[in-house]
Structure formats: C-alpha cells, structure tokens
Amino acid sequence: MAAGSFRRSIASQLSKVLDLPPENLIKSISAVPVSKKRHVADFQVSIASVIENSSSDCSAQDLHLQAQQLAERLKCDSVVSEISAGPGTVNFTINRELLAKTVLHQVWKDGSEYGVKSELFSTVPRQKAVIEFSSPNIAKKFHIGHLRSTIVGNFIANLKVALGHEVVRINYLGDWGMQFGLLGVGFQSFGNEEKLKSSPLQHLFEVYVQINKAAEDENTKKLAKDFFRKLEEHDEQTLSIWKQFRDLSIEEYIRIYKRLGVHFDEYSGESFYQEKAQEVLKMLEDKGLLQKTIKGTGIVDLSEKKDLSTFSTVMRSDGTSLYITRQVSPSVDLAAAIDRMNKHSWDTMIYVTDKSQSNHFQHLFQILKLMGYDWAERCQHVSFGLVQGMKTRRGEVIFLEDVLNEVRSRMLQNMTSTKTTKEMQDPVETAEKVGLAALIIQDFRGLLSSDYQFSWDRALQSRGDTGVFLQYTHARLHSLEQMHGKAELTDVNVACLQEPDAISVLQHLLRYDEVLYRSSQDLQPKHIVSYLLTLSHQAAVAHKTLPVKGSAPDVAQARLCLFHAARSVLANGMKLLGITPVTQM
C-alpha cells in the first residue's frame, strides 16, 4: 500500500528517536486531509499519541514546543523531503516524485484491492459475519425504512467482504402472525389467483387493505383467528395457501433486489422459529428467568435490582410466543439468534433496522446474556434514522419498486436534455444506475442515526455533492481514457505531475486506506461518501487545469495515468456503497 510504505519509513525514523517499536507508531501516523491551501504536508503525527508525558493537561504551547523539539531531532531522507512542527503535531512532506510514482504504481498494481491491503488492517482478524437486513413484512408496505435497511446492510456486507471477511446475508421476513389469519380470510373473499401470480406484493397488499376495513367485524375476527390457528396446527390446506403467498413474494423480492444490485444468501423469517420459540420459552423457564404476570403473560426481568423496573414480554397469556411485532417480543429473535450461532458459528452478528427498535435489541442481547450465551456481546444493532418526504408523483411510497421506477423516470427526463443521451446504448439502464446512486448518496451523506428530509430535486442535481455528480465524474474520466487510449504506467515520467492540482489528487489517493479503516470501525458510510465527493471535485478541477489533449506526449501520458488512478479508486468506493459506476452519461 502506497501510504503504508511511507508510514513505515516515518515510523522507522520516529522509533529510533523515541525508542519505541515502529509497529506501535504506525496507527499514530495519519495522512493530512487535503486543504484549500495549496501546500500541505502529506502525513502528521500527533505529539499526544506518541510522547508518554504529553497528557491532555498539557497546554497548546507545551505541545507545540514538544512538537518543535521532536521535529528538530528528525532528519529528511530519500523519502521525506520536509519536516515541520504544527500545533501539537509533527508534519512530514514526501518527496514529490516518489509520491507520484508510489501512489500510481500501487493503485495500478492493487486494482480493486487498493486500500484494503493496507497494514492498518493487519491486526484485524478475518471473521465470519452474519448480517440481517431489509426484512420487509409480506403483504404490508415496503416502506422507506426497509429501503434504508437494504442499502445500509448491503454496504456493510460489501465492506466486510472487501476486507476479507466471510459474510452471510440474511433477509428475515415478517411472514407469520395474526395478519396472516386476516390475509388468508381476505384472499378467500377478495383474492385473484392471476393477480397473485403476476404481481404478488401489490395484490396481497390490496387484499390486506380491503380485509382490514372489516377487521373489527366479530365474524371476520373469528375467521381470521381460526385461519391462523390452523396455520399454527400445520393444517395442510392452510399451510399451502400461506406458502404460496410467501414463495411468490420472495420471487418478486429477488427480482426487485436485483435492480438494486442486492442479493441474500438466506431468506429466513419468523415462521421458521415458531416451534423453536416454544423451546426457548421452556429454556427460560428452566433457568428461572421466565416470570408470569397477573394477566398470565410471560416476562423476563432485566432490571439490575430485580425489581421489574425493566422487563421484556416474551409470552402471551395463552402460553404461545408473541409474533405481533419485533418491538413487543424478542422470543422469536432469541430462537433465531441461537439457531444462527449453531448453524453458522459466526464471530459477529449485525442487525440493521431503524432506531425505534433499539430497545428491542437491547433487551434481546440482555436476555441472551442471562441465558448464558456469552456471544451476545458480539451481537450489534446498527440503527438508522427516519426519512421524511419520500413521495412519488402518484403519492406515498408503498413499494420499493415505486421508488426505483420514480428515480429512473426522473433521471431519464433529466438526461434527455443532454446530447450524449441519444448516443447511449441503453439510456434506461443508465438512468436507473445514476438514479440509484442519487438515492444512496443522499442517504449516506450524514450519520446513519440522523433523521433527514428527502428531496428529489436535491438528490438528482448534476452538480454539487450528489450521486449524480459521482457518476458524471466517473463517466467523464472513462471517456477521457477512451478518447486518448489507456495510459501505460511503465512509460510515465512522474516529474510531469508536480502541479498543485496533480499533487492534491495524489495526496487524496494516499488517504483512501484510512477512510476505509474508519468506516470499518464504526460501519458509517459517510466517511467514504465524503472522500469520494472530494476526489470527484479534485478530478473536475484537474480535468480543467491539466489537459491531456494538446500536451507533450510524456505530460499527456502522466496525466492520463493520474486520471486513471482517480477513476479506479472512485469506482472501487462507489461499488462498496452499492453503486454501479456508469461509463456514459
């Protein structure tokens, strides 16, 4: 890794002066973010992180003095051309030609693995991760929260795989419960086999809406209860109706997920654990954890003082495990977690849902711990905020496909005004990929836990910090390579890449591994988004100030190499986020 060889060289110097092992210093050496000021160093070391007696009590003046003293003891060499002291930091500038040569060579050599081979990840053990995400409810709205869960879960899975971890992607469907009693009765009254086969999600939702209008009717309630009771008793005819609903829905989900570029290794659901949930209730009882309330519901006391100030309800008064909603009962999730550990022997399990379910998962992990499962500490809930204002031209979003169709048609409309669209092989597919990039970048720009107001106009702008701009930059750099032929690294004269705008791009490419490392630690995509937007803005500036056309051959060749490196890293980062880069726009 380019940054790695420079960090090692700096660490080696520091280790001699500070009498510390170089490997202890590597993570203290960070690439300096590119600044609007033209001249910035490439790496810096914070004094507080390397000198033992530098504590938080030190004044800024003391830290600056210590930085100056350390800088004076270090010497420039063939790698480092300048060493200076900043406010509490020692700054290192790399030999400019070596910077260009090393970065370009590394991007070229590592290709799609650039950044992930960094020594920053050398101490991170390769693990098996189970990631549960998307998880829509059959026959109910695939609301915008499910879209967020889908793209966030996909990003985490992509990142883990890129870093060499084994990942199992699970879609845990809401495919059980009293609503299936209603749905079964509704289908007998309003169902249509043809519509079910041609558009299962839409048709089941329509049936569910219709039967819900009669849900308060005593006769309907009784019929729904009977239908669900038969389901729980495994009545063949009732199960076969339910199975048809489930199978056809999954088929349609797979088709829609394919448009998103998302896949799952396993379609699971609450139905899988109906019997195992009963076994879990028995285990809770045997361990003395299950208590009965006056009303007969089963609860687990989670309070520290065992005074029931915090508890979780796991059983209905009729003795069956709760299936109503995740927020109400963790009993089915307990069974699923235990089953997944037995089946996959995972190192970490991540649940991706909205933040309203934080309490549910807190309780789930607490109960698992009380049951004696130490691995509960390796379970993690990645939560996200709510999105307001996501509407299509026809009104409120009900299905994910509505969103995908809307973003494609809006993008296509925007693209038809540009002359290049007419020459495109498949403008509709391009519009879908660009539109999806717009959705993902708008969603990933802030902290996942933040709520945000969705805006079609803002998301689809071709200038500014948008997914459209990333796609436009990638397509532009790709056409530059198509026009001038692919550069060959062997012929590059790096002395031709000393302009400030070229150095800015090289410095930014140097930081990519740190950005990946940061995202791998907190599972937030915003670090990568911010990095790629900066890279795109830099590439846009360099495209103007460093022309390839009309330049001397060796200058043109060097610039082509620089633009190829920028496009390669841009494409890598976009793919991690779940975006397919386009080559024409």
Side-chain angles (χ1 to χ4, degrees):
M1 181 69 212
S5 62
F6 297 142
R7 277 194 209 98
R8 280 192 298 276
S9 182
I10 294 167
S12 166
Q13 262 223 67
L14 284 168
S15 81
K16 288 171 193 161
V17 172
L18 298 170
D19 199 23
L20 288 168
E23 57 273 18
N24 292 13
L25 297 163
I26 293 279
K27 283 190 181 167
S28 302
I29 302 163
S30 58
V32 177
V34 176
S35 153
K36 292 265 192 304
K37 294 174 195 161
R38 272 309 175 198
H39 178 77
V40 290
D42 303 306
F43 290 95
Q44 66 183 21
V45 171
S46 158
I47 283 294
S49 67
V50 294
I51 293 182
E52 280 179 18
N53 59 2
S54 289
S55 67
S56 52
D57 302 335
C58 277
S59 68
Q61 208 173 352
D62 289 342
L63 286 172
H64 190 55
L65 186 63
Q66 287 181 330
Q68 279 178 322
Q69 287 166 346
L70 179 57
E72 282 162 15
R73 293 170 68 194
L74 298 165
K75 291 182 173 65
C76 295
D77 54 19
S78 59
V79 175
V80 177
S81 61
E82 194 182 320
I83 300 169
S84 62
T89 62
V90 177
N91 306 317
F92 301 84
T93 302
I94 303 298
N95 172 307
R96 287 297 170 239
E97 289 192 18
L98 185 64
L99 173 74
K101 187 178 178 181
T102 311
V103 170
L104 295 182
H105 174 75
Q106 203 73 49
V107 174
W108 209 275
K109 180 168 152 281
D110 291 348
S112 62
E113 292 189 317
Y114 178 73
V116 303
K117 286 183 166 183
S118 166
E119 79 277 359
L120 293 179
F121 298 105
S122 61
T123 56
V124 179
R126 299 287 173 264
Q127 293 185 327
K128 185 173 191 177
V130 165
I131 305 173
E132 182 203 293
F133 61 105
S134 195
S135 306
N137 298 301
I138 288 173
K140 290 191 178 177
K141 292 177 186 179
F142 189 114
H143 58 73
I144 196 62
H146 293 121
L147 174 60
R148 280 206 98 176
S149 174
T150 306
I151 60 177
V152 172
N154 188 49
F155 158 71
I156 295 170
N158 290 346
L159 183 61
K160 295 263 181 202
V161 168
L163 297 172
H165 303 293
E166 188 184 343
V167 170
V168 180
R169 297 165 161 93
I170 294 180
N171 197 341
Y172 186 71
L173 301 171
D175 64 354
W176 200 251
M178 195 51 82
Q179 79 260 26
F180 282 91
L182 265 179
L183 193 62
V185 173
F187 195 77
Q188 286 160 356
S189 309
F190 312 111
N192 177 306
E193 283 291 335
E194 284 307 303
K195 283 183 180 176
L196 178 66
K197 281 177 182 147
S198 66
S199 185
L201 299 179
Q202 176 95 29
H203 186 55
L204 288 175
F205 177 70
E206 286 165 358
V207 167
Y208 191 65
V209 168
Q210 278 184 287
I211 194 65
N212 246 326
K213 289 172 187 167
E216 291 309 305
D217 172 65
E218 286 307 315
N219 188 43
T220 306
K221 271 186 190 173
K222 185 183 176 303
L223 289 171
K225 266 188 176 175
D226 288 348
F227 189 95
F228 187 56
R229 184 179 45 77
K230 283 182 185 173
L231 252 190
E232 290 193 304
E233 288 166 359
H234 294 192
D235 171 71
E236 250 179 72
Q237 195 187 348
T238 316
L239 261 181
S240 127
I241 296 169
W242 169 83
K243 193 174 181 309
Q244 189 187 22
F245 292 168
R246 189 181 191 277
D247 292 350
L248 288 170
S249 295
I250 288 175
E251 266 178 46
E252 192 167 2
Y253 280 134
I254 289 171
R255 181 181 63 76
I256 297 164
Y257 286 133
K258 199 174 175 185
R259 284 180 67 180
L260 267 173
V262 172
H263 74 276
F264 291 91
D265 302 302
E266 207 176 284
Y267 279 84
S268 168
E270 292 165 359
S271 61
F272 282 54
Y273 299 106
Q274 45 171 318
E275 283 169 18
K276 285 193 168 87
Q278 295 302 318
E279 290 167 26
V280 166
L281 292 175
K282 178 82 173 65
M283 284 166 73
L284 288 168
E285 199 167 9
D286 293 347
K287 287 176 184 286
L289 295 168
L290 189 67
Q291 297 182 34
K292 295 271 178 72
T293 65
I294 301 161
K295 291 178 182 173
T297 53
I299 61 169
V300 175
D301 187 358
L302 299 173
S303 61
E304 274 184 42
K305 294 178 181 174
K306 298 296 166 204
D307 57 3
L308 289 177
S309 53
T310 313
F311 63 87
S312 180
T313 307
V314 292
M315 189 179 78
R316 289 190 296 224
S317 53
D318 62 2
T320 57
S321 55
L322 279 157
Y323 288 98
I324 309 156
T325 65
R326 272 198 136 159
Q327 286 94 316
V328 177
S329 166
S331 57
V332 182
D333 274 342
L334 288 167
I338 296 163
D339 180 61
R340 287 172 193 170
M341 177 46 99
N342 293 336
K343 185 177 174 185
H344 298 294
S345 298
W346 47 262
D347 298 297
T348 180
M349 180 155 63
I350 298 167
Y351 297 85
V352 184
T353 75
D354 72 72
K355 61 187 178 186
S356 71
Q357 298 193 25
S358 294
N359 264 354
H360 166 76
F361 285 103
Q362 213 176 335
H363 288 180
L364 176 70
F365 304 155
Q366 276 180 279
I367 296 171
L368 285 167
K369 263 186 110 171
L370 289 172
M371 290 173 81
Y373 294 115
D374 294 341
W375 45 257
E377 291 186 354
R378 290 184 270 129
C379 293
Q380 186 180 358
H381 177 217
V382 173
S383 63
F384 52 81
L386 305 174
V387 185
Q388 281 100 18
M390 169 72 89
K391 283 186 165 61
T392 67
R393 290 189 178 103
R394 290 188 305 167
E396 189 197 353
V397 170
I398 295 174
F399 301 111
L400 172 59
E401 197 152 28
D402 295 340
V403 181
L404 297 182
N405 292 342
E406 181 83 6
V407 75
R408 184 175 64 189
S409 74
R410 283 179 186 252
M411 200 59 233
L412 200 55
Q413 204 175 350
N414 289 5
M415 281 162 52
T416 44
S417 57
T418 65
K419 57 179 186 293
T420 51
T421 309
K422 298 178 188 73
E423 302 150 20
M424 259 181 223
Q425 285 176 325
D426 194 339
V428 175
E429 194 184 332
T430 301
E432 177 138 312
K433 286 173 182 168
V434 176
L436 190 54
L439 285 182
I440 289 172
I441 295 302
Q442 174 146 304
D443 197 286
F444 285 179
R445 278 190 62 198
L447 265 177
L448 291 178
S449 57
S450 304
D451 300 339
Y452 76 91
Q453 188 70 33
F454 181 83
S455 156
W456 285 108
D457 291 339
R458 195 169 62 240
L460 296 174
Q461 280 172 359
S462 58
R463 288 282 176 267
D465 291 344
T466 66
V468 181
F469 178 58
L470 289 188
Q471 289 283 33
Y472 174 74
T473 305
H474 185 273
R476 198 178 188 190
L477 294 176
H478 182 269
S479 69
L480 190 70
E481 288 182 54
Q482 295 292 100
M483 204 185 300
H484 298 284
K486 203 171 178 185
E488 289 303 323
L489 191 64
T490 44
D491 308 335
V492 172
N493 176 3
V494 288
C496 301
L497 291 175
Q498 300 309 303
E499 299 90 347
D501 291 328
I503 296 295
S504 286
V505 172
L506 291 165
Q507 285 178 312
H508 198 57
L509 293 175
L510 204 55
R511 296 183 59 234
Y512 187 55
D513 64 340
E514 289 183 13
V515 173
L516 293 182
Y517 183 76
R518 200 167 167 200
S519 273
S520 76
Q521 293 299 293
D522 63 9
L523 302 181
Q524 294 283 341
K526 73 184 186 91
H527 312 304
I528 296 173
V529 169
S530 171
Y531 176 90
L532 296 179
L533 288 166
T534 300
L535 180 60
S536 295
H537 286 297
Q538 287 178 332
V541 170
H543 190 269
K544 282 182 191 157
T545 62
L546 308 173
V548 173
K549 193 178 178 182
S551 298
D554 58 341
V555 174
Q557 190 73 350
R559 287 174 180 175
L560 263 182
C561 266
L562 179 73
F563 289 124
H564 167 79
R567 186 187 66 77
S568 174
V569 174
L570 179 59
N572 293 348
M574 287 166 79
K575 286 172 192 168
L576 286 180
L577 297 172
I579 297 168
T580 304
V582 299
T583 53
Q584 277 184 311
M585 247 181 95

